[in-house]
Amino acid sequence: MSEYRIRPLETGEHREAWDLFRASLHVSPGSDEEWDRAALSHQQRRSVGAFGPGLIGTARSFDAELLVPGGAKVPLAAVTGIGVRAGWTRRGVLTSMIEAQLADFTERGIVAATLRATEGAIYGRYGYGIATHAQNVLVDRHRARLRPEVPPGGQVHVLDLGDAVPQWPELYAATGFTRPGAMTRPPVFWGGHESQVRRLSPFPRTAVHHSPAGVDGYLVYYVDRESTPVKLHVPGFHYTSPEAFAGLWRFLLSVDLVDEIALMYRPLGEPTSLLFTNPHTAKIETTHDETWLRLVDVPAALAARTYGVAEPVVLEVHDRMLPANDGRYRIGPGGVERTGVTADLELDVDTLAMLYLGEWRPAPLALAGRITGADEKTLARTETLFGTERNPWCGTDF
Ligand SMILES: CC(C)(COP(=O)(O)OP(=O)(O)OC[C@H]1O[C@@H](n2cnc3c(N)ncnc32)[C@H](O)[C@@H]1OP(=O)(O)O)[C@@H](O)C(=O)NCCC(=O)NCCS
């Protein structure tokens, strides 16, 4: 018999689980006030616990939707709060909790799950693959000169936190949910997000961009005057037009008493350096993994997205944890069907997640041994089918 058992947590057990999660990250238990805020980010009936006999492990999720290539939305579980008590690690507790989560997701019709990983070695074995990356970018404000063709932008209004918080959901829905890989932000997300922003700074502000047609961009920023050089940090930045991108940049460059502008979690390929007369004004500091994606229901996920125009390919998918996904899928411009014919290539479900949003190209995945059996022509066809016009990006940290 196993030395622990897994079951859903009752609402009254959430705080103990939250403290356990903090302890697993070497953070002391939270105060009553911190818990009051954190409780807002806990969705009911979405936490599991491992008991042996006291609580020794926990994992939770909240319900959202994922924007997939072509514009459809699919049910998404955003997985977070994973921790195992010191002394109980490496005994399979996490594996058992993930199995319980995946069984629950399958039962509830969740098509995909996503998480952010503290360490890269953990989640591939459970079928999660890195589907999007993000970048941190640093701009030297004193050297920054905008090129003459950069649009003038519209009006920018600055809101303090109290005024901004009630407007964030609408601002994000209008300007942030645009690229493949984006996720909806339900009320439980916003509950947690406010405390996350408060932890970053006592005085975070929100700059909203208005064009004649309406609001088309916003960013969240704060200035750290204790740092040398003085940094303005931008943890969130969304826009839907070149005018808003330029207008918000003009605003950022106008903020006084700032030496550097530090942007977090930007999409790959965002042309920040191209705004400036000297492109070296903007430096990519780090590129890091963003979305770890798990296709829970492969047939539904493949059917939900659109494909480019190329001869169909037959993929043979292997899924050790959810064998219902195992099988061959014929993918073409017209859609997807299960098939019994010989496969053109084989891949595991974590690699399929890496292809799915369009960031990874098939050729490097084959070079790394993650796709097998395909010749160059097949890889080129697969690239055309799965490629997307814009780099996928989530832009939501949770
Ligand atoms: C990460 C954590 C949840 C893993 O829990 P666990 O119960 O020890 O995991 P399991 O025993 O089920 O391990 C499953 C497999 O993952 C491997 N693994 C687990 N954590 C790992 C890590 N940090 N680095 C590398 N491999 C890891 C195990 O070796 C094991 O591999 P095996 O099946 O080949 O033997 C736990 O170590 C923890 O709480 N860490 C600190 C908090 C944290 O990082 N949380 C994750 C937030 S995203």
Side-chain angles (χ1 to χ4, degrees):
M1 208 180 93
S2 168
E3 42 182 355
Y4 50 83
R5 88 191 166 91
I6 311 290
R7 65 162 172 81
L9 291 183
E10 307 290 337
T11 306
E13 294 170 321
H14 285 177
R15 180 162 184 180
E16 188 187 351
W18 178 67
D19 279 336
L20 190 161
F21 169 59
R22 288 169 65 99
S24 77
L25 298 175
H26 312 298
V27 177
S28 59
S31 65
D32 289 349
E33 197 191 339
E34 285 173 306
W35 167 244
D36 286 345
R37 286 190 204 287
L40 301 172
S41 65
H42 285 61
Q43 186 174 346
Q44 303 304 311
R45 295 183 296 282
R46 296 290 180 267
S47 297
V48 292
F51 291 83
L55 189 66
I56 56 162
T58 184
R60 67 187 159 88
S61 67
F62 62 86
D63 300 344
E65 289 175 301
L66 175 72
L67 189 60
V68 305
K73 289 187 281 188
V74 299
L76 177 74
V79 173
T80 185
I82 291 178
V84 172
R85 194 179 292 289
W88 280 92
T89 56
R90 309 302 179 269
R91 295 201 220 172
V93 175
L94 173 63
T95 303
S96 302
M97 293 193 300
I98 297 269
E99 281 166 358
Q101 269 195 332
L102 289 176
D104 173 56
F105 296 163
T106 303
E107 202 177 301
R108 290 192 292 111
I110 296 290
V111 170
T114 184
L115 53 76
R116 307 288 176 263
T118 48
E119 299 199 56
I122 305 173
Y123 296 103
R125 76 193 70 228
Y126 307 126
Y128 284 87
I130 300 172
T132 70
H133 287 81
Q135 294 181 326
N136 290 357
V137 177
L138 191 66
V139 170
D140 178 345
R141 177 172 172 260
H142 299 299
R143 283 169 80 189
R145 303 275 173 279
L146 291 174
R147 290 170 60 89
E149 66 271 27
V150 172
Q155 297 245 319
V156 173
H157 294 129
V158 178
L159 305 172
D160 289 342
L161 193 63
D163 292 326
V165 167
Q167 296 190 35
W168 278 346
E170 210 177 310
L171 287 169
Y172 175 76
T175 65
F177 191 65
T178 54
R179 292 182 186 239
M183 60 186 269
T184 51
R185 295 178 170 185
V188 282
F189 167 84
W190 291 112
H193 188 63
E194 183 184 343
S195 0
Q196 198 182 19
V197 172
R198 279 180 194 275
R199 270 198 304 278
L200 292 173
S201 158
F203 194 37
R205 278 171 282 180
T206 299
V208 182
H209 186 270
H210 299 253
S211 287
V215 169
D216 55 359
Y218 81 103
L219 56 81
V220 178
Y221 74 99
Y222 61 92
V223 176
D224 180 3
R225 290 211 60 204
E226 304 300 316
S227 63
T228 314
V230 173
K231 270 191 187 164
L232 182 155
H233 295 268
V234 185
F237 188 172
H238 299 281
Y239 49 84
T240 56
S241 67
E243 289 72 25
F245 181 53
L248 286 165
W249 261 108
R250 286 183 189 280
F251 168 75
L252 286 172
L253 296 171
S254 78
V255 178
D256 287 328
L257 306 175
V258 169
D259 301 312
E260 291 178 340
I261 299 165
L263 298 113
M264 291 176 244
Y265 320 118
R266 303 312 304 155
L268 303 193
E270 184 173 61
T272 305
S273 64
L274 300 186
L275 294 172
F276 304 111
T277 50
N278 178 354
H280 291 176
T281 304
K283 287 203 164 52
I284 293 169
E285 291 218 294
T286 57
T287 299
H288 48 89
D289 43 80
E290 188 201 29
T291 305
W292 284 74
L293 187 69
R294 207 306 170 189
L295 301 180
V296 177
D297 182 340
V298 167
L302 290 177
R305 63 154 290 176
T306 56
Y307 298 92
V309 179
E311 282 287 300
V313 288
V314 176
L315 267 50
E316 179 154 357
V317 178
H318 304 288
D319 189 341
R320 199 177 47 80
M321 291 189 82
L322 297 175
N325 290 326
D326 273 340
R328 296 185 196 147
Y329 300 85
R330 185 175 183 276
I331 298 178
V336 180
E337 58 183 12
R338 281 206 187 242
T339 175
V341 303
T342 310
D344 296 311
L345 59 87
E346 291 188 42
L347 74 185
D348 283 340
V349 72
D350 59 332
T351 304
L352 182 63
M354 296 168 77
L355 265 187
Y356 182 73
L357 294 175
E359 185 181 282
W360 283 99
R361 291 166 167 219
L365 294 172
L367 185 63
R370 284 174 161 268
I371 288 180
T372 56
D375 57 24
E376 268 181 31
K377 280 191 177 153
T378 306
L379 292 173
R381 265 155 56 207
T382 311
E383 178 171 334
T384 306
L385 288 163
F386 278 86
T388 50
E389 271 174 34
R390 300 179 77 192
N391 282 332
W393 176 63
C394 182
T396 295
D397 190 32
F398 56 87

